[in-house]
């Protein structure tokens, strides 16, 4: 049992969400609606794979904050899910070295709620997932769409009304691949518009 | 508020666990010590005289009142009318008795257990071993059930020979014999499944054909590689993106084995089985020309081996029909058409194969028969419907994920 795998991460997050009380002192912003742009980057690694070394993950998110507890937005990024290579070896089919990787661009609808001045995220959507394989002098690029979920927790420190930075820990789940990727990211947040 | 949170936790737990793959393996149960160690192989006389319909002394057992025994190669299979149960054995002669060792399994469930059969000297084994048809044939069946492996015992008594009407009826195993989702011990559309099909009661198979990047026809059901069919999660996307060498070297099928080429599959059918028909199911466009080349080659090979084997190319769509009609020497390429009677005639298909949910279609079936064509229906899995389609229908074959159920209902008639 890998306690860091997607389902346990989701379970623990749900439990925390359920048990902790919502802060009694809600911050009431000056404006009613805000459009927030977030740029984040960090290190990601598959939580249930024997093969990957992990990789750098850039991520962008556009959030609409309607002055309610629940915010909604869109997120995309780039993820290395798995990487595997084998040195030159003789097979029944011939001699070759092999390098294969599985990468993804998630396109997610994100829901976010501030609880105890920290952010809890849940997202669902689709991911463009592809295999890159190099073996037998043939390069393969093989894409497919996959349902995806994301759950996470973050903290943002606001330097001004419009600008802040923070950290996020999240887990992406690729349902049909039975894979989850954990990610630790540093985040910059900027209020693009408020009205 | 507390109630809402408890409900939230409860539904979260259910949601999380619903994401888990529900595909636990069902391993073949084995005895800790084989009873076949000191046995000699059974001969064809014994095999042919053991086939038949048997009655059980305990109709309340897991296997019901009547059972069908059918041999395939070195294996003995028992098909039952209760719980969709089947039993598979290997056997041998031990002194003056016949002993068989194997397992029982519910086809539509995961329950299974080790089983042994014994035919004692005075219950028919002596006569069979001496090459004489016995007047009385009784089989003692010991099977084990549950985690505690509780031993149960039933006695099977030979009643009559197997039904063979209508003659040359095709019991067609889907995806080479069965699906991965039924947790069989071998992978669907694999060489191992083709060799396993007869043990499940099939005398014909349907296999799914796709083309690799280098235009080699291979057996694979889905359009895309995924964990449903293979073990390597890092291979995704269309099978047509990969070369055959890449697939053969780095991809393993879910329940073992490699993705076979169509040639490997047909070689297996010819050399390692007694299957009498192969239905090549073509699910993508643009494959007919490449697949029919292999089909023709193996039709000729079967003829050269004096092997009674039909290989039919399936035409499931109008696009496939157009491709098929454009082939120059299509008269040498027998086809099976799943579409309208007009398209069956246009393609001069040997077989019309309507979907089972369209009903018995007796009038249409009679028309096809009057034109010298046969009628197969697909994909029929429910035992009640299988019984009705055999009794009231006018079909020459049934494609099923559970050939053991079709075999029971056909042979017991």
């Amino acid at each position: 049992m890998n306690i860091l795998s997607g389902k346990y991460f989701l379970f623990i997050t749900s439990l925390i969400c359920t048990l902790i009380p919502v802060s009694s002192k809600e911050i009431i912003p000056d404006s009613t609606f805000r459009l927030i742009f977030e740029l984040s980057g960090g290190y990601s690694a598959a939580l249930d794979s024997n093969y990957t070394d992990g990789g750098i993950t850039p991520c962008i998110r556009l959030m609409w904050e309607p002055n309610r507890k629940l915010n909604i937005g869109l997120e995309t990024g780039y993820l290395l899910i798995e990487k595997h290579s084998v040195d030159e070896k003789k097979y029944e089919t011939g001699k070759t070295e092999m390098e294969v990787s599985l990468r993804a661009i998630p396109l997610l609808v994100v829901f976010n709620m501030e609880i105890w001045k920290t952010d809890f995220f849940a997202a669902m959507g689709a991911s463009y997932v592809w295999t890159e394989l190099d073996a037998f002098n043939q390069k393969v690029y093989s894409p497919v769409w996959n349902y995806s979920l994301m759950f996470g927790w973050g903290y943002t420190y606001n330097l001004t009304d419009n600008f802040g930075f923070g950290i996020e820990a999240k887990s992406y789940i690729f349902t049909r691949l039975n894979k989850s990727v954990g990610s630790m990211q540093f985040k910059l947040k900027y209020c693009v518009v408020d009205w | 508020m507390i109630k809402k949170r408890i409900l939230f936790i409860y539904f979260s737990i259910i949601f999380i666990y619903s994401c888990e793959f529900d595909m636990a393996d069902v391993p073949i149960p084995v005895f800790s010590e084989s009873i076949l160690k000191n046995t000699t192989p059974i001969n064809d006389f014994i095999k042919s005289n053991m086939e038949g319909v048997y009655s059980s002394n305990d109709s309340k057992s897991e296997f019901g009142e009547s059972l069908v025994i059918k041999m395939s190669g070195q294996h003995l299979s028992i098909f039952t009318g209760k719980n969709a149960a089947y039993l598979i054995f290997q056997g041998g002669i031990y002194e003056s008795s016949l002993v068989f060792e194997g397992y029982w399994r519910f086809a539509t469930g995961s329950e299974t257990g080790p089983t042994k059969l014994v035919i004692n000297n005075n219950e028919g084994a002596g006569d069979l071993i001496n090459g004489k048809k016995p007047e009385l044939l009784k089989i003692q069946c010991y099977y084990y059930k549950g985690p505690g492996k509780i031993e149960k015992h039933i006695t099977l008594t030979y009643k009559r020979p197997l039904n063979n009407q209508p003659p040359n009826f095709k019991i067609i195993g889907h995806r080479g014999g069965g699906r991965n989702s039924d947790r069989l011990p071998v992978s669907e559309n694999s060489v191992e499944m083709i060799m396993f099909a007869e043990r499940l009661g099939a005398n014909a198979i349907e296999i799914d054909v796709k083309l690799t990047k280098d235009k080699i026809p291979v057996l694979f059901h889905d359009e895309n590689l995924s964990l449903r069919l293979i073990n390597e999660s890092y291979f995704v996307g269309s099978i047509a993106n990969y070369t055959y060498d890449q697939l053969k070297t780095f991809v393993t099928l879910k329940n073992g084995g490699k993705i076979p080429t169509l040639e490997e599959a047909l070689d297996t059918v010819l050399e390692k089985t007694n299957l009498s028909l192969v239905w090549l199911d073509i699910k993508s466009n643009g494959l007919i020309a490449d697949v029919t080349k292999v089909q023709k080659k193996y039709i000729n090979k079967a003829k050269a081996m004096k092997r009674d084997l039909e290989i039919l190319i399936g035409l499931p769509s109008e696009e496939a029909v157009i491709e098929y009609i454009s082939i120059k020497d299509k008269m040498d390429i027998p086809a099976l058409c799943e579409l309208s009677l007009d398209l069956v005639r246009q393609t001069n298909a040997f077989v019309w194969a309507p979907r089972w949910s369209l009903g018995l279609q007796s009038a249409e079936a009679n028309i096809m028969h009057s034109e010298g064509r046969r009628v197969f229906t697909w994909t029929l899995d429910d035992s009640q419907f299988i019984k009705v389609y055999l009794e009231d229908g006018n079909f020459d074959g049934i494609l099923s994920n559970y050939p053991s159920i079709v075999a029971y209902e056909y042979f017991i008639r």
Side-chain angles (χ1 to χ4, degrees):
Chain A
M1 184 176 85
N2 182 352
I3 58 160
L4 287 176
S5 72
K7 65 178 181 180
Y8 295 106
F9 186 86
L10 165 60
F11 175 66
I12 291 160
T13 310
S14 310
L15 204 61
I16 294 167
C17 276
T18 310
L19 296 177
I20 59 174
V22 174
S23 170
S24 57
K25 287 184 181 176
E26 295 295 333
I27 298 165
I28 301 168
D30 295 338
S31 53
T32 307
F33 300 108
R34 284 152 57 93
L35 204 56
I36 308 289
F37 177 76
E38 294 177 8
L39 179 68
S40 57
Y43 181 79
S44 302
L47 297 172
D48 43 15
S49 172
N50 300 324
Y51 297 124
T52 192
D53 298 325
I56 301 297
T57 297
C59 195
I60 54 172
R61 184 187 292 153
L62 197 62
M63 293 299 297
W64 178 46
E65 295 185 351
N67 193 20
R68 297 288 184 277
K69 281 179 183 169
L70 189 69
N71 305 314
I72 188 168
L74 296 170
E75 177 181 316
T76 188
Y78 170 82
L79 283 169
L80 171 67
I81 302 174
E82 218 169 357
K83 197 173 179 184
H84 178 42
S85 62
V86 179
D87 292 338
E88 190 171 81
K89 202 172 158 184
K90 197 172 179 185
Y91 300 94
E92 193 187 327
T93 40
K95 209 184 225 188
T96 187
E97 51 189 23
M98 185 272 262
E99 193 172 312
V100 64
S101 63
L102 186 65
R103 296 161 198 271
I105 296 175
L107 299 168
L108 304 168
V109 176
V110 187
F111 298 92
N112 146 253
M113 190 185 276
E114 188 185 295
I115 300 171
W116 267 5
K117 295 184 181 176
T118 62
D119 293 316
F120 284 82
F121 298 97
M124 64 180 88
S127 290
Y128 183 78
V129 181
W130 70 95
T131 296
E132 285 177 23
L133 170 69
D134 189 358
F136 292 106
N137 298 318
Q138 288 271 346
K139 286 190 176 172
V140 168
Y141 173 84
S142 186
V144 73
W145 283 94
N146 202 281
Y147 299 114
S148 304
L149 304 168
M150 184 274 280
F151 300 91
W153 171 86
Y155 173 77
T156 307
Y157 180 77
N158 291 315
L159 287 172
T160 68
D161 280 352
N162 290 337
F163 184 72
F165 64 90
I167 53 161
E168 271 183 21
K170 49 191 178 179
S171 172
Y172 294 90
I173 299 169
F174 301 91
T175 55
R176 291 185 74 182
L177 300 173
N178 210 21
K179 285 272 160 235
S180 43
V181 175
S183 186
M184 284 295 295
Q185 298 188 357
F186 180 78
K187 176 172 79 175
L188 295 174
K189 176 179 172 180
Y190 180 69
C191 176
V192 184
V193 191
D194 59 358
W195 67 94
Chain B
M1 194 64 186
I2 299 270
K3 272 186 184 173
K4 280 184 183 171
R5 287 186 177 174
I6 289 169
L7 277 174
F8 184 80
I9 294 173
Y10 175 74
F11 285 113
S12 299
I13 292 168
I14 287 177
F15 174 75
I16 292 158
Y17 280 93
S18 70
C19 297
E20 188 77 0
F21 269 113
D22 181 28
M23 279 295 289
D25 289 341
V26 182
I28 292 178
V30 289
F31 287 97
S32 51
E33 198 170 338
S34 174
I35 57 171
L36 300 178
K37 265 195 290 190
N38 300 316
T39 59
T40 53
I42 53 174
N43 57 40
D44 289 344
F45 178 83
I46 295 173
K47 286 182 204 168
S48 62
N49 281 282
M50 279 191 68
E51 286 191 340
V53 176
Y54 289 70
S55 66
S56 165
N57 67 332
D58 182 5
S59 60
K60 288 179 185 166
S61 81
E62 279 73 13
F63 311 129
E65 196 174 356
S66 297
L67 301 94
V68 161
I69 291 190
K70 183 89 177 76
M71 303 297 300
S72 59
Q74 286 302 310
H75 292 89
L76 177 150
S77 298
I78 300 182
F79 307 118
T80 79
K82 194 172 171 186
N83 296 318
Y86 63 84
L87 303 89
I88 298 176
F89 301 91
Q90 280 189 291
I93 302 167
Y94 180 74
E95 295 176 352
S96 56
S97 301
L98 294 168
V99 291
F100 295 84
E101 183 178 280
Y103 64 97
W104 63 271
R105 169 80 199 269
F106 292 166
T108 51
S110 57
E111 293 100 311
T112 188
T115 310
K116 60 187 174 192
L117 306 177
V118 178
I119 308 177
N120 295 313
N121 180 27
N122 59 350
E123 291 181 327
D127 286 342
L128 285 171
I129 292 165
N130 293 322
K132 190 180 157 196
K133 194 174 169 66
E135 284 179 19
L136 170 78
L137 181 55
K138 278 193 175 186
I139 302 174
Q140 307 302 330
C141 172
Y142 303 89
Y143 63 100
Y144 299 83
K145 201 183 170 209
K149 291 192 175 173
I150 299 160
E151 184 182 286
K152 295 195 169 192
H153 172 225
I154 53 173
T155 302
L156 311 179
T157 308
Y158 180 87
K159 287 288 165 197
R160 57 185 164 88
L162 298 177
N163 166 64
N164 60 2
Q165 295 299 321
N168 203 23
F169 186 82
K170 302 299 180 196
I171 300 164
I172 309 163
H174 196 207
R175 301 186 192 176
R179 300 176 295 187
N180 280 4
S181 56
D182 287 311
R183 308 178 196 193
L184 293 166
V186 288
S187 303
E188 65 181 54
N189 279 311
S190 67
V191 160
E192 293 79 9
M193 179 61 84
I194 291 168
M195 291 194 285
F196 193 64
E198 286 178 288
R199 283 172 237 170
L200 295 172
N203 58 17
I205 53 167
E206 176 259 19
I207 49 179
D208 302 290
V209 187
K210 292 273 189 302
L211 276 190
T212 62
K213 192 178 184 179
D214 41 353
K215 302 281 178 201
I216 294 177
V218 294
L219 269 53
F220 204 74
H221 180 270
D222 295 357
E223 193 57 46
N224 292 320
L225 298 177
S226 74
L227 287 177
R228 199 188 78 74
L229 295 180
I230 66 169
N231 293 313
E232 292 73 19
S233 57
Y234 41 82
F235 289 125
V236 298
S238 171
I239 191 167
N241 293 332
Y242 298 85
T243 66
Y244 174 67
D245 282 349
Q246 289 170 339
L247 293 169
K248 185 175 170 83
T249 309
F250 302 116
V251 175
T252 53
L253 291 168
K254 195 76 195 169
N255 298 330
K258 294 281 183 179
I259 296 174
T261 62
L262 178 57
E263 296 209 6
E264 284 170 339
L266 293 175
D267 272 327
T268 304
V269 171
L270 276 175
E271 290 161 15
K272 295 182 179 166
T273 75
N274 289 311
L275 294 166
S276 59
L277 183 140
V278 179
W279 170 349
L280 307 176
D281 194 7
I282 310 294
K283 285 197 164 66
S284 314
N285 297 330
L287 273 69
I288 298 272
D290 292 293
V291 174
T292 49
K293 275 181 206 161
V294 180
Q295 184 190 1
K296 270 176 71 178
K297 177 180 166 185
Y298 277 84
I299 288 171
N300 293 331
K301 193 169 177 179
K303 273 181 197 161
M305 290 169 71
K306 295 186 178 164
R307 176 80 153 72
D308 183 18
L309 176 69
E310 281 183 275
I311 306 171
L312 305 174
I313 185 138
L315 303 174
S317 64
E318 292 189 10
E319 291 81 5
V321 166
I322 293 165
E323 278 183 58
Y324 176 76
I325 288 173
S326 67
I327 294 173
K328 281 179 191 167
D329 50 356
K330 61 178 175 296
M331 296 309 287
D332 300 335
I333 302 164
L336 170 152
C337 183
E338 299 176 23
L339 306 167
S340 67
L341 300 192
D342 285 343
L343 287 172
V344 172
R345 291 184 188 109
Q346 269 185 49
T347 53
N348 196 25
F350 285 24
V351 176
W352 176 48
R355 183 191 289 265
W356 79 271
S357 52
L358 295 172
L360 292 174
Q361 304 203 88
S362 300
E364 290 86 345
N366 286 338
I367 293 169
M368 289 287 99
H369 285 151
S370 69
E371 294 175 10
R373 301 180 215 277
R374 284 168 295 156
V375 185
F376 299 163
T377 190
W378 57 275
T379 302
L380 188 44
D381 291 342
D382 183 273
S383 60
Q384 293 303 315
F385 278 109
I386 288 169
K387 198 171 185 175
V388 170
Y389 274 57
L390 278 166
E391 282 177 4
D392 302 336
N394 201 0
F395 296 101
D396 304 285
I398 292 177
L399 170 66
S400 178
N401 288 305
Y402 304 114
S404 58
I405 301 177
V406 183
Y408 174 80
E409 296 295 348
Y410 173 72
F411 290 119
I412 201 88
R413 292 177 73 199

